[in-house]
């Protein structure tokens, strides 16, 4: 075995994805030959574990130890200071969806700290933040990997990067980028059979845990817009923000002002006829309706919203809450390169994070 | 920009894939920041270009220079000697499909030379060769990447490695791994319409350049068996060789002894009724027939041959000469992670090689 140098790892966020990541990290550490990883810092929004001399925090049983800890998390700029002073290279794993943590990246990266994260905020916020991050990385040599920011563990970002880096011309990217939207439309407008009422499907999706606690956070299309922003930028389009292109919201105007998600769900049936019309119009054309995001690279146009597809189209034939991403490129010609599968969930999101961690380790260790 | 150290590259093979790779390599070199790559050796089976002092061979116009060269290629062990003595790290790009070059890998790797290749031979030959290669790599630290050995540039091997490395349990891999077989069955047994006569479809595929010069080299199933051998080994099954599991050949026994591919094609119509029966039997069950490879990890069973699928199954719905690979895993549950698209052709095969080269560079430069 070639010699592997010591690497410190810091983790912020121990929620659903964070817990799955910790379990994958543990099994990584038990494998031979195992990377020489030392957990130097771990924090939730309220508690933290770390040692001033950078001695290892034990990964085994860390969530219990964290609950019992009397240490508060360091202020974010202090986290960077603490990590930058570590006696070896550092990887910061951001398992939050926090804008504040995202805004820390340029500073961290400029101090040589590599970033691995499923957090969409840093890559789909202002173009300036994106630019600051990658400029800092090209100066300091620190690595930035965020596979799980689109499609969870599915090989979406790595595939797009490979296409671009090897000189292919991506012409169009089109797909279903939300597990929630996938589930809703596969049930509401199936390729065979009638499908349920729109408001019933939304309630069912919420009951099954497929939506955010307030389903409007999925129905407004912003989550998909964020993912499209990331892919468009990787394809070379300097999209200013997720508000810079048309995004169709599925929240009826009249319900935007509902005080709670419950009130929204209660009133949603009054608007079922609107969605029925959309479905009927698609059926008249022999098609089904789906909520998709698309990027046309030549015209630099990005959009998110309802589109109609033939029942035989891969986007129409999607199942359950799967994502599908179609890359149309010069090399691949008329048939796109397709990646498909679960695009949400703790385990598969953490898998993207862990795989990224392994890639960074292979480059800096 | 962080400092990038010098890396030497050697290329063996300048055929269809090799030419596309050279063109991608050229555009790589013109990009900023460009890797400090020096072409130190390039050879076909009859000619070579290299300088005893390792000074750069010009990539621009290299195929013409190669034709005009009066230098013969070095004997393969001499190539390793020459490269191992280079004053910096070396990546050997094997763009051949040669068994002889493949057998050179353990020696090259043990001398610290990284390998990037679409050549299936090294990874699908004897298990000993596979084992020698990866043992040498873990000792010397040299890298071995071979994405294009399965599905060309499609992210197949990288995805399987990520699943395994992050601790997912792959339960089954199933797919269409041959562009030729894909084209033949999508035309012979389409999901709608009748499809043509088997022998006519084989002739058409040959005329379109979708088969090897002698179509029996595709119909014997060995190409698919080689790819399955590679994936099975990556999934942890130590398959001894592509002959170690059942592979259904589509060459009628009576035609195995034909002297030429032309004689074979001439006599093939006499056996059309056999394939018609297979198609009719599938149709009776409401299905279509496809030539697939599958790996059942729990039972360690690998097989290649004809299977029946519902018309709505992604394997049945494949188009043109596309490949499709379904990864069933514990984390992904009942819906597999799917990768689909062109799995053959110079450009997309070279893309996998170039992407691998970039990955190795990021680790050793």
């Amino acid at each position: 075995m070639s010699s592997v140098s010591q690497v410190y790892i810091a983790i912020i966020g121990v929620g659903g994805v964070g817990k799955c990541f910790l379990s994958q990290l543990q099994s990584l550490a038990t494998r031979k030959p195992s990377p020489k990883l030392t957990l130097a810092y771990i924090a939730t929004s309220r508690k933290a574990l770390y040692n001033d001399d950078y001695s290892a925090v034990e990964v085994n049983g860390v969530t219990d130890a964290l609950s019992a800890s009397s240490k508060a998390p360091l202020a974010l700029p202090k986290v960077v200071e603490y990590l930058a002073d570590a006696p070896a290279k550092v990887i910061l794993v951001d398992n939050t969806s926090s804008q504040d943590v995202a805004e820390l990246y340029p500073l961290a990266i400029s101090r040589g700290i590599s970033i691995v994260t499923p957090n969409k905020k840093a890559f789909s916020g202002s173009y300036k933040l994106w630019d600051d991050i990658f400029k800092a990385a090209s100066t300091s040599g620190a690595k930035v990997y965020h596979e799980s920011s689109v499609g969870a563990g599915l090989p979406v970002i790595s595939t797009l990067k490979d296409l671009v880096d090897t000189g292919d011309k991506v012409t169009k990217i089109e797909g279903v980028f939300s597990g929630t939207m996938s589930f809703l439309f596969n049930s509401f407008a199936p390729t065979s059979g009638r499908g349920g009422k729109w408001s019933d499907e939304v309630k069912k999706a919420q009951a099954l845990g497929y939506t955010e606690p307030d389903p409007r956070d999925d129905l407004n299309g912003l989550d998909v817009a964020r993912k499209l922003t990331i892919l468009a930028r990787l394809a070379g389009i300097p999209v200013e923000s997720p508000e810079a292109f048309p995004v169709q919201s599925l929240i009826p105007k009249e319900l935007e002002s509902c005080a709670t998600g419950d009130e929204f769900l209660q009133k949603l049936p009054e608007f079922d006829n609107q969605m029925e019309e959309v479905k009927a119009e698609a059926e008249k054309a022999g098609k089904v309706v789906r909520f998709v995001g698309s990027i046309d690279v030549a015209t630099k146009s990005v959009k998110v919203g309802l589109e109609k597809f033939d029942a035989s189209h891969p986007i129409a034939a999607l199942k359950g809450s799967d994502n599908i991403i179609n890359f149309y490129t010069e090399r691949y010609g008329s048939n796109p390169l397709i990646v498909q599968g679960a695009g949400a969930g703790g385990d598969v999101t953490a898998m993207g994070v862990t795989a990224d961690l392994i890639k960074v380790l292979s480059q800096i260790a």
Side-chain angles (χ1 to χ4, degrees), chain A residues 155-300:
Chain A
V156 175
I157 289 183
S158 53
T159 298
L160 178 53
K161 274 190 182 169
D162 282 352
L163 289 166
V164 172
D165 288 350
T166 61
D168 200 358
K169 286 204 172 40
V170 178
T171 52
K172 185 175 155 188
I173 303 173
E174 183 180 50
V176 173
F177 294 91
S178 154
T180 313
M181 291 295 198
S182 180
F183 178 85
L184 285 174
F185 283 91
N186 298 343
S187 321
F188 170 65
T191 50
S192 61
R194 265 303 296 162
K197 267 190 207 161
W198 176 249
S199 59
D200 286 346
E201 296 301 342
V202 174
K203 281 173 197 159
K204 205 197 302 172
Q206 194 203 34
L208 290 167
Y210 283 148
T211 70
E212 297 293 320
D214 183 339
R216 285 176 297 180
D217 291 338
D218 293 298
L219 296 175
N220 64 15
L222 183 60
D223 172 69
V224 177
R226 285 196 175 278
K227 292 167 182 165
L228 269 281
T229 301
I230 297 172
L231 297 184
R233 287 172 178 174
L234 287 171
I237 306 172
V239 170
E240 191 46 49
S241 81
E243 286 85 37
F245 51 85
V247 177
Q248 185 177 2
S249 169
L250 298 186
I251 304 171
K253 274 218 159 24
E254 297 85 342
L255 300 186
E256 277 172 359
S257 57
C258 287
T260 64
D262 284 347
E263 188 194 335
F264 166 76
L265 279 177
Q266 210 183 330
K267 293 184 175 164
L268 190 58
E270 299 167 28
F271 299 86
D272 275 345
N273 58 331
Q274 291 183 5
M275 288 298 284
E276 277 305 318
E277 269 171 42
V278 169
K279 177 152 80 172
E281 196 193 310
E283 274 170 0
K284 223 183 291 171
K287 297 178 185 244
V288 294
V289 65
R290 293 290 182 267
F291 193 84
V292 302
S294 67
I295 298 166
D296 186 309
V297 179
T299 62
K300 300 191 180 181

